[in-house]
Amino acid sequence: MKVMLVILDGMGDRPSGALRGGTPLEAANTPNMDYLAENGINGIMDPIAPGIRAGSDTAHLSLLGYNPYEVYTGRGPFEAAGENIELKPGDIAFRCNFSTVDETMNVIDRRAGRIRESTHKLAEVLNGMEIEGTRIIFKESVEHRAVLVLRGEGLSPRITDADPHRLGPINEVRALEKGAEKTAHIVNTFVRKSYEVLKKHPVNIERRKKGLPPANIVLPRGAGMVPHLKSIGEKYGITAGAIAGVSIVKGVCRLVGMEILEVEGAKGSAESDFAAKVRAGIKYLDSGDMVLINIKAPDLFGHDGDPAGKRAIIEKIDEAMKPLKEILDDAIVAITADHSTPCNVMDHSGDPVPLLIAGSGVRTDSVSDFGERSAPKGGLCRVRGNDLLNILLQLAGLSEKFGA
Amino acid sequence: MKVMLVILDGMGDRPSGALRGGTPLEAANTPNMDYLAENGINGIMDPIAPGIRAGSDTAHLSLLGYNPYEVYTGRGPFEAAGENIELKPGDIAFRCNFSTVDETMNVIDRRAGRIRESTHKLAEVLNGMEIEGTRIIFKESVEHRAVLVLRGEGLSPRITDADPHRLGPINEVRALEKGAEKTAHIVNTFVRKSYEVLKKHPVNIERRKKGLPPANIVLPRGAGMVPHLKSIGEKYGITAGAIAGVSIVKGVCRLVGMEILEVEGAKGSAESDFAAKVRAGIKYLDSGDMVLINIKAPDLFGHDGDPAGKRAIIEKIDEAMKPLKEILDDAIVAITADHSTPCNVMDHSGDPVPLLIAGSGVRTDSVSDFGERSAPKGGLCRVRGNDLLNILLQLAGLSEKFGA
């Protein structure tokens, strides 16, 4: 059998007064997920460990069988991998903003007027530089965002951000431990060079003419070292693909050796074509052993504190889940979340997430609907995200026996 | 929000014939804790791990986020810290009894007639000694009890007790591993010196006159090394206080850097003023982030094998919990135990303990009363003590996100 793992990003929530005391998932009409819950086994899952507020990156690592405490030093590498940059273990990667500074290096717009166009032209002139023997890889991402990778000897991710995260003077990057001074110096040099090169770039001359803030500096943040990772294929002996709209999830999946499946209409937003993602996932299972589908939208409504919107998008997602009912003879289907993003917290919380697993042969329980408060009554009780893949692979008959 | 953690020491129990098959908690009328259970989320908790019979010291360490297998080598340091002795990592600490021996060093009363008075005068003459370069810190505790601390180079806690734990010859302390011989020798020397000094002490001359057994020797036991501990403030970024009647719990809380709040009427016994402790805990939350309240009484009835008494004291404790219903908008309230002390075992068992968590935003479940057998039907399922603080702090919005 195959494994279909659907991760509804940030779906877990808390009871909401606006939804008569229900969570968005509980309040939503979700006949397809309820069918899977009723015909499957249910429980709650701590993506990393009870009470730990997981990020999407650390949670996906954990759900894919990696220990984020061992392999995660920052968001940068996963963001960069999500932008198709070929990374090597030991590379230091950063998220960056194109920002606007005045002549005294005061940030006056952290997002350079949310510049959308021609950032690839700006990136071009920065990419490929070398600073004191360290190679600079730089690539634009969506809107005002970009990624920076440093490749060379003696680099460390233990440095502060250049981005001040507010208006005012840019941060001088500092080493957070002995041995990180070189990296801090290189990043400071890169930031200065980005200003020198970008302030007179034709794209910015054009922006000034139009009265738009120039994207005249690059401010890196979130340094992380690309970890040595045994691929998911080596670890579990499977071929695995991933479908995700957002680059950080793509990046995690790419770095663990999953094939990234590009799906038309997968946007990482509420407008994403959920049904197309599910169709593409099912199709991938013709050849692959396992597919992960990440649907970002619930997380966005959680961050926005919009329970009614979250309920509505969950109902829309549920419609897209309908074809999963037809593959239960051939695949173990799991639906869960990477973390909770309660609308009343407007950020990730450490609450466990509901988990359902359905498919031929799976033990069932008396739970008949998919929800935060029905799930813990189910047969899975409470599990950890790090155990999920082992649970799914053994149900699919895809794992090895340990012992005799 | 704040965190109020109430630990009813040894409250967990097993079904009792004397209580028509109920546990003391189940048989007790506990409207206030039932209210919190009904309006909160419930589960069972293994203080250390399933089946492990936890002590109060190791359990409290675990519940506060420390791994007792890494930091606990014996009870001594926690007892000493509870007696306000300033300890340093590496110190070796012991619990001691003032005992009575005859001239052949046979113990004829392990508790020196449960001596209550003037032990500080006896302690005075022993405190501050030096034995072969090792400094002796010695302080009386309640009744016949005292604490001993050795401070110096090359000391080890891996030695046997001087206390024979029964009548008869005192134990010659032995090293349990290579390198502990020096410590064993120092303790043996201290025990001999205590006899030489105490046998002729005026307090004992007086006792002999009155026909009371003299407190003419000190017998140390429970050697432990004071661990290097990152404080709870450093670990979790919170300010935390503790209210406890018994010194061992105070000691654990002090050693992890919690502020020890002295409350009039907190006695660590069935006569303790439970309501005063709860009031003081709530008051502390005006400034502090978290408070731990330990109520010792249920454990005492468990050790005595008195289910009816345990039920009665739980009812009295429940009355003191009433104000907790009023703070649920401002605090996450948790009530649990550090371990089970079943009346039919008359000692700590490895049974899990019930846990309820209530407060604004907390997911609820269908459990409507607080008890050993209703709790596992709740939404928390089964958790470990070591995860408790992470669970509570995230619910209170007091923890950091791991990842992006």
Side-chain angles (χ1 to χ4, degrees), chain B residues 165-188:
Chain B
H165 297 272
R166 48 173 169 66
L167 301 189
I170 68 166
N171 282 345
E172 181 78 11
V173 174
R174 286 176 299 102
L176 290 170
E177 66 181 20
K178 238 174 111 86
E181 295 84 358
K182 173 181 168 180
T183 316
H185 169 69
I186 288 168
V187 177
N188 284 324

Side-chain angles (χ1 to χ4, degrees), chain B residues 37 52 66 149 151 156 173 187 193 242 246 269 288 322 344 349 364:
Chain B
I52 301 298
Y66 298 83
V149 176
R151 182 170 297 162
S156 161
V173 174
V187 177
K193 286 205 175 184
V246 282
S269 76
K322 197 170 177 192
N344 60 352
S349 76
T364 53

Side-chain angles (χ1 to χ4, degrees), chain B residues 61-379:
Chain B
L61 281 168
S62 183
L63 268 55
L64 291 168
Y66 298 83
N67 181 348
Y69 293 108
E70 282 172 12
V71 303
Y72 185 84
T73 56
R75 178 168 178 169
F78 304 98
E79 203 73 49
E83 296 298 332
N84 296 343
I85 295 180
E86 285 297 327
L87 297 167
K88 295 184 178 176
D91 286 352
I92 308 295
F94 306 75
R95 310 167 67 201
C96 305
N97 275 7
F98 286 106
S99 303
T100 309
V101 288
D102 64 17
E103 279 146 31
T104 63
M105 296 300 231
N106 266 303
V107 179
I108 53 178
D109 188 329
R110 273 191 71 230
R111 299 180 183 84
R114 290 200 177 266
I115 181 171
R116 282 177 170 270
E117 279 144 32
S118 303
T119 51
H120 66 285
K121 291 184 190 164
L122 300 174
E124 248 170 39
V125 297
L126 298 171
N127 184 37
M129 288 200 295
E130 219 169 86
I131 298 176
E132 297 173 28
T134 296
R135 189 174 162 75
I136 305 294
I137 302 161
F138 185 79
K139 194 180 173 192
E140 78 289 353
S141 169
V142 291
E143 298 178 356
H144 56 278
R145 299 182 190 90
V147 292
L148 165 68
V149 176
L150 307 184
R151 182 170 297 162
E153 296 296 311
L155 299 175
S156 161
R158 297 281 298 138
I159 58 171
T160 61
D161 292 346
D163 186 340
H165 297 272
R166 48 173 169 66
L167 301 189
I170 68 166
N171 282 345
E172 181 78 11
V173 174
R174 286 176 299 102
L176 290 170
E177 66 181 20
K178 238 174 111 86
E181 295 84 358
K182 173 181 168 180
T183 316
H185 169 69
I186 288 168
V187 177
N188 284 324
T189 307
F190 171 78
V191 170
R192 260 197 321 278
K193 286 205 175 184
S194 76
Y195 177 68
E196 286 161 23
V197 173
L198 296 182
K199 67 179 177 185
K200 55 192 179 197
H201 192 286
V203 167
N204 281 327
I205 292 168
E206 197 62 28
R207 285 179 71 80
R208 281 188 195 280
K209 272 190 201 161
K210 291 181 183 166
L212 295 170
N216 61 4
I217 198 164
V218 172
L219 295 178
R221 66 182 192 276
M225 181 178 282
V226 177
H228 286 268
L229 290 178
K230 202 172 175 178
S231 80
I232 201 164
E234 285 174 277
K235 239 170 110 91
Y236 295 99
I238 56 167
T239 53
I243 297 170
V246 282
S247 65
I248 186 131
V249 173
K250 282 187 196 176
V252 170
C253 293
R254 183 189 301 279
L255 275 182
V256 304
M258 295 171 86
E259 186 182 343
I260 306 301
L261 310 171
E262 297 296 346
V263 175
E264 184 113 20
K267 294 179 183 155
S269 76
E271 287 71 44
S272 201
D273 187 345
F274 308 135
K277 292 169 89 163
V278 171
R279 276 195 305 274
I282 292 174
K283 184 152 195 319
Y284 176 77
L285 294 182
D286 286 347
S287 56
D289 294 315
M290 173 185 140
V291 69
L292 179 155
I293 301 177
N294 175 284
I295 293 181
K296 178 69 176 170
D299 185 53
L300 303 173
F301 288 93
H303 281 284
D304 286 347
D306 178 359
K310 195 168 175 182
R311 175 181 57 186
I313 203 71
I314 289 172
E315 292 187 346
K316 194 174 159 208
I317 291 167
D318 186 72
E319 286 169 31
M321 297 295 139
K322 197 170 177 192
L324 299 183
K325 299 195 293 191
E326 310 304 323
I327 65 169
L328 299 177
D329 283 340
D330 305 308
I332 298 298
V333 171
I335 304 182
T336 188
D338 55 346
H339 53 77
S340 296
T341 308
C343 294
N344 60 352
V345 176
M346 298 175 71
D347 199 352
H348 304 190
S349 76
D351 299 287
V353 296
L355 166 65
L356 73 78
I357 303 175
S360 178
V362 171
R363 288 180 191 164
T364 53
D365 55 32
S366 54
V367 174
S368 57
D369 65 285
F370 190 42
E372 286 87 346
R373 288 177 291 189
S374 50
K377 295 176 187 163

Side-chain angles (χ1 to χ4, degrees), chain A residues 123-171:
Chain A
E124 249 170 39
V125 297
L126 298 170
N127 183 39
M129 288 198 297
E130 216 166 88
I131 298 176
E132 297 172 30
T134 295
R135 190 174 160 74
I136 305 294
I137 302 163
F138 185 79
K139 194 180 173 194
E140 79 288 355
S141 168
V142 290
E143 297 178 355
H144 55 278
R145 300 183 189 90
V147 292
L148 165 68
V149 176
L150 308 183
R151 182 169 297 161
E153 297 296 311
L155 300 175
S156 161
R158 297 281 298 140
I159 58 171
T160 61
D161 292 347
D163 187 341
H165 297 270
R166 48 173 170 63
L167 301 189
I170 68 166
N171 281 346

Side-chain angles (χ1 to χ4, degrees), chain A residues 13-14 44 48 50-58 68 72 75 340 347-352 372-373 376 382 384, chain B residues 360-366 377-384 387 390-391 394-397 399-404:
Chain A
D13 214 302
R14 295 180 185 173
I44 48 175
I48 294 178
I52 299 297
R53 296 177 56 210
S56 282
D57 41 14
T58 51
Y72 184 86
R75 178 170 179 167
S340 295
D347 200 352
H348 304 190
S349 77
D351 299 288
E372 286 86 347
R373 287 178 289 188
R382 186 170 189 153
R384 293 205 180 201
Chain B
S360 178
V362 171
R363 288 180 191 164
T364 53
D365 55 32
S366 54
K377 295 176 187 163
L380 288 170
C381 302
R382 184 171 191 152
V383 297
R384 294 203 180 201
D387 294 318
N390 283 327
I391 292 171
Q394 83 85 11
L395 285 169
S399 61
E400 296 295 315
K401 186 158 65 175
F402 172 42

Side-chain angles (χ1 to χ4, degrees), chain A residues 99-386:
Chain A
S99 303
T100 308
V101 289
D102 64 17
E103 279 145 32
T104 64
M105 296 301 229
N106 267 304
V107 178
I108 53 178
D109 189 330
R110 274 191 69 230
R111 300 181 181 86
R114 291 199 178 265
I115 181 171
R116 282 177 172 271
E117 279 144 34
S118 303
T119 51
H120 67 282
K121 291 182 189 163
L122 300 174
E124 249 170 39
V125 297
L126 298 170
N127 183 39
M129 288 198 297
E130 216 166 88
I131 298 176
E132 297 172 30
T134 295
R135 190 174 160 74
I136 305 294
I137 302 163
F138 185 79
K139 194 180 173 194
E140 79 288 355
S141 168
V142 290
E143 297 178 355
H144 55 278
R145 300 183 189 90
V147 292
L148 165 68
V149 176
L150 308 183
R151 182 169 297 161
E153 297 296 311
L155 300 175
S156 161
R158 297 281 298 140
I159 58 171
T160 61
D161 292 347
D163 187 341
H165 297 270
R166 48 173 170 63
L167 301 189
I170 68 166
N171 281 346
E172 182 78 11
V173 176
R174 286 176 299 104
L176 289 171
E177 67 181 20
K178 239 176 110 93
E181 295 85 358
K182 174 182 167 180
T183 316
H185 169 69
I186 288 169
V187 176
N188 284 324
T189 306
F190 171 78
V191 170
R192 261 198 317 279
K193 285 206 175 183
S194 76
Y195 177 68
E196 287 160 22
V197 171
L198 296 181
K199 69 179 177 187
K200 55 195 177 193
H201 192 285
V203 166
N204 282 325
I205 292 167
E206 196 64 25
R207 284 179 71 80
R208 282 188 194 281
K209 272 190 202 161
K210 291 181 183 166
L212 296 170
N216 62 4
I217 199 164
V218 172
L219 295 177
R221 65 182 191 275
M225 182 178 281
V226 177
H228 285 268
L229 290 177
K230 202 172 175 181
S231 80
I232 201 165
E234 285 174 277
K235 240 171 111 90
Y236 295 100
I238 56 168
T239 54
I243 298 170
V246 283
S247 64
I248 187 136
V249 174
K250 283 187 195 176
V252 170
C253 294
R254 182 188 302 279
L255 274 181
V256 304
M258 296 170 87
E259 186 182 342
I260 305 301
L261 310 170
E262 296 297 345
V263 174
E264 183 110 22
K267 293 178 185 158
S269 76
E271 286 73 41
S272 202
D273 187 344
F274 307 136
K277 292 169 88 164
V278 171
R279 277 196 306 274
I282 292 174
K283 186 154 193 319
Y284 175 78
L285 293 182
D286 286 347
S287 55
D289 294 314
M290 174 185 137
V291 69
L292 179 157
I293 301 176
N294 174 282
I295 293 180
K296 178 70 177 170
D299 185 53
L300 303 174
F301 288 93
H303 281 284
D304 286 347
D306 178 359
K310 195 169 175 182
R311 174 181 58 186
I313 203 72
I314 289 172
E315 292 188 345
K316 195 176 157 206
I317 291 167
D318 186 72
E319 286 170 31
M321 297 295 138
K322 197 171 177 191
L324 299 183
K325 299 196 291 192
E326 311 304 324
I327 64 169
L328 299 177
D329 284 339
D330 305 309
I332 299 297
V333 171
I335 304 182
T336 188
D338 55 346
H339 53 77
S340 295
T341 308
C343 294
N344 59 352
V345 177
M346 298 176 72
D347 200 352
H348 304 190
S349 77
D351 299 288
V353 296
L355 165 65
L356 72 78
I357 303 175
S360 179
V362 173
R363 290 181 193 160
T364 54
D365 56 33
S366 54
V367 174
S368 57
D369 64 287
F370 191 42
E372 286 86 347
R373 287 178 289 188
S374 50
K377 295 176 185 164
L380 287 171
C381 301
R382 186 170 189 153
V383 297
R384 293 205 180 201
N386 214 236

